[in-house]
Amino acid sequence: MEASIQTDATKQVKAAPVLISLLLGCFIGMFSETALNIALPELMKQLQVGPTTIQWLTTGYMLVLGILGPVSGLLLQWFTTRQLFIASLAFSTLGSIIAGLAPNFEVLLAARFFQAAGLALLLPLMLNAILILFPPERRGAAMGLMGLVLTFAPASGPTVAGLIIDKLSWHWIFWISSTVLFIALIIGIIFLKNISVITRPKIDLLSLLLSTIGFGSLLFGFSKAGENGWSHVLVISCLIVGVLALILFTWRQFSITSPIMNLRTFRYPMFSLSVVLFIVVMMLLMSSMLLLPMLLQNGLGKNVLQAGLLLLPGTLISGIAGPFMGKLFDKYGPRRLIIPGLILIGTVMFSFSTITVNTSTTFIVGLHCLFLLALSMVMMPAQTNGMNQLPAEYYPHGTAIMSTLQQVAGAIGSALAMTMLATGQVRYLHDQGFDMSNGFNLAQVDPAMLEYLPSSFVFGIKGAFIFAGCMTILALFISFFMKRVKPSAQKAG
C-alpha cells in the first residue's frame, strides 16, 4: 500500500504510514466499544453499582459518538488532517489512561466520554483520508482494511477482554489500549501531513443544536428501550423529541447555504443504497456482538474465558477476510460480493434461530465464523461503492453521515435485540406456569424458575435472530439495485 498523493507543488505524502496510524487508532476505539460488555458483571461488583447504572458505560459511549458524528463533517472542513488526528488520539489516549486509573464509576464514565470523543473524530477522518489518498479503482483494498476495523475490532472485543479479565483485571483493557494508541499517535506525528482542503464554511448554531438534540435523544431513547421497554414514558418522550428535532434538522440543512451535514448526498443513488445496507449490517453486527456472548454464558453455561475463546475463530476470520474482500471489490465490483454475502448472512441468522440448550458449541462457532465472513463481503463493498459516487466536495458530509448512522444503527439493533430477548423469555416462562405479569427481573427471580432460565434465554434469543434474518432478506432485495460506480461518472450535484 505504497500509494502517495500530491498535497501541493512540492510535497508527497506516503499513504502506508498515514493509514497505519489511522487504522490503529480506530481499531482501539471500535474495540473499546464492545470490550467492556463482557466485563460489566465484574465491574458491577467492584464499583458497587447496579445494572442500570453500569449500562451507562456503553450507553454514554454511544451517545457521545452519535452527537459528535454530524459535527465531524464540519470539523473536517475547519481543521487540518494533522490537527484532527492529534486531537482525536489525545482524547482517546487520555481517556484510556484515566479509565485504567479509575477508582470509581464516575471517573470511569468520564474516561469513556473522552474515549468516545476521540473515536468520533477519528472514524470520519480515516474514511475521508482513504477517499483522498486512493483513486476509486484502487480504493477497495484500502477500504478493506477499514472494513477489518469495523468488523474485526468490535468482534474481537469480547474475546480479548475475556482473556484479559481471566488472567489480569479489567484495568488492563485500558492499559493495553493506551499503549497502542500512543504508538499510533507517534507514527501519525512523524508521518501524517495535511491531505484535505480547508474551506472553513459558516457554522450554523441552530443546526448544531438540532443535531445534538435529535441524535442524542434518539440514541438515548433506543438505548433505554432495550432496558425499560418501548412503552416506558422516558423512551417514548426521547424518541418523539429525537424524531421532531431531526425533521427540523433535515429542513434546516436544505434551507441554508452551508449545512453542517449536506443531505444532498442522498441524491446519489448508489450512496443512498449503500447507507441502507450499511445500517442493516451494523444493526446485525452490534446486536450479534451483544447477544452471542450472552448466549454462550446464560444459555449454554460457559464462563467468560470460554465464551471469549469460542468467539475467537470468527474474529480471526473477519480479520483475514477484510483486506481480501477489498481486493475482490476492486476486481469484480460490489454485486458479486454483496448478494452472496447477504444470502449467507440470512442463512446463518435463520440457522441461529434453531438452536436449543443442547446445541453443540461447534455448531454455534461455525455459524459465527460464517456470519463474520459474510459480513466482510457486504459491509466494505457497499460502503466503498456508495462513497465512490460522491464528488470530492461531498466527502466530509458522506463520511459524517456514515459515522453517525453507524451509531444509530448499532443502538437500534441492540435495543430491538434486547427487547425481543426479554419478550421471548417472558413468553417462555409464562408457558411454564410462572406469573410474568410484572415482567422479568433477574434480580428478583423466583428460585423455582432458575432451572428454566437457560431454556428461556435460548427461546428469547431465537426471536432476535428471526428478525435479523428478515432484515437480511430486505437488504438482499435492495442489493439487486446496486451497480458499480465508475470514476468518470462522478459529477457534483
Side-chain angles (χ1 to χ4, degrees), residues 227-228 422 426 430 434-442 444 449:
E227 176 188 332
N228 298 335
V426 169
H430 177 268
F434 293 100
D435 179 15
M436 303 303 295
S437 56
N438 295 322
F440 178 71
N441 187 346
L442 190 59
Q444 300 175 352
M449 197 187 291

Side-chain angles (χ1 to χ4, degrees), residues 100-375:
L101 295 170
N104 54 45
F105 172 80
E106 290 76 16
V107 174
L108 182 57
L109 180 61
R112 293 288 284 172
F113 289 160
F114 277 107
Q115 286 183 304
L119 182 61
L121 296 176
L122 204 54
L123 274 175
L125 183 64
M126 177 171 67
L127 179 54
N128 195 60
I130 290 174
L131 294 173
I132 295 173
L133 284 169
F134 298 92
E137 64 273 10
R138 298 186 56 217
R139 199 171 284 162
M143 290 291 285
L145 293 174
M146 183 173 178
L148 181 152
V149 168
L150 294 180
T151 56
F152 181 65
S156 66
T159 301
V160 177
L163 294 171
I164 293 173
I165 294 169
D166 183 73
K167 299 299 181 182
L168 301 166
S169 73
W170 61 267
H171 299 85
W172 280 91
I173 296 174
F174 300 106
W175 289 128
I176 294 172
S177 296
S178 61
T179 302
V180 177
L181 287 168
F182 184 73
I183 292 172
L185 179 60
I186 296 302
I187 295 174
I189 289 174
I190 295 173
F191 293 102
L192 190 61
K193 309 295 182 183
N194 183 45
I195 56 175
S196 58
V197 177
I198 307 302
T199 58
R200 291 191 170 88
K202 182 181 178 181
I203 299 175
D204 183 58
L205 296 179
L206 180 58
S207 293
L208 289 175
L209 178 63
L210 291 172
S211 165
T212 301
I213 295 174
F215 287 107
S217 297
L218 207 63
L219 283 167
F220 184 75
F222 280 121
S223 299
K224 299 303 287 185
E227 176 188 332
N228 298 335
W230 296 91
S231 60
H232 195 277
V233 175
L234 178 62
V235 172
I236 295 174
S237 300
C238 287
L239 293 180
I240 291 175
V241 170
V243 169
L244 290 177
L246 289 180
I247 291 174
L248 293 173
F249 173 75
T250 301
W251 167 80
R252 183 68 177 172
Q253 300 318 288
F254 283 111
S255 63
I256 59 178
T257 55
S258 299
I260 67 169
M261 183 183 279
N262 195 333
L263 301 181
R264 292 177 180 85
T265 52
F266 287 104
R267 292 178 178 175
Y268 295 86
M270 290 306 104
F271 176 79
S272 299
L273 286 179
S274 73
V275 167
V276 175
L277 289 177
F278 191 66
I279 288 174
V280 172
V281 295
M282 284 307 301
M283 287 176 63
L284 296 175
L285 175 62
M286 299 310 292
S287 59
S288 67
M289 291 305 101
L290 178 65
L291 291 176
L292 287 177
M294 295 171 64
L295 169 64
L296 292 170
Q297 294 178 74
N298 298 347
L300 303 184
K302 307 299 180 182
N303 60 36
V304 172
L305 178 60
Q306 290 171 330
L309 290 174
L310 288 171
L311 294 174
L312 182 59
T315 303
L316 294 176
I317 286 177
S318 70
I320 296 170
F324 180 67
M325 294 302 169
K327 293 179 180 179
L328 290 179
F329 170 83
D330 284 335
K331 186 174 182 179
Y332 298 110
R335 285 170 60 94
R336 293 188 184 182
L337 292 173
I338 293 174
I339 292 175
L342 286 171
I343 292 173
L344 185 55
I345 289 175
T347 303
V348 169
M349 291 298 105
F350 286 116
S351 298
F352 266 127
S353 69
T354 66
I355 60 175
T356 68
V357 289
N358 297 317
T359 298
S360 70
T361 53
T362 302
F363 180 71
I364 294 175
V365 170
L367 290 180
H368 182 237
C369 291
L370 289 175
F371 169 64
L372 290 180
L373 173 63
L375 204 67

Side-chain angles (χ1 to χ4, degrees), residues 453-491:
L453 290 184
S455 296
S456 73
F457 187 91
V458 172
F459 181 85
I461 213 169
K462 287 183 179 183
F465 283 118
I466 290 174
F467 177 79
C470 294
M471 289 291 294
T472 308
I473 293 175
L474 174 63
L476 179 61
F477 173 76
I478 294 171
S479 70
F480 286 108
F481 298 94
M482 184 73 69
K483 298 178 181 179
R484 185 167 193 167
V485 174
K486 296 181 180 179
S488 58
Q490 295 187 55
K491 293 180 182 179

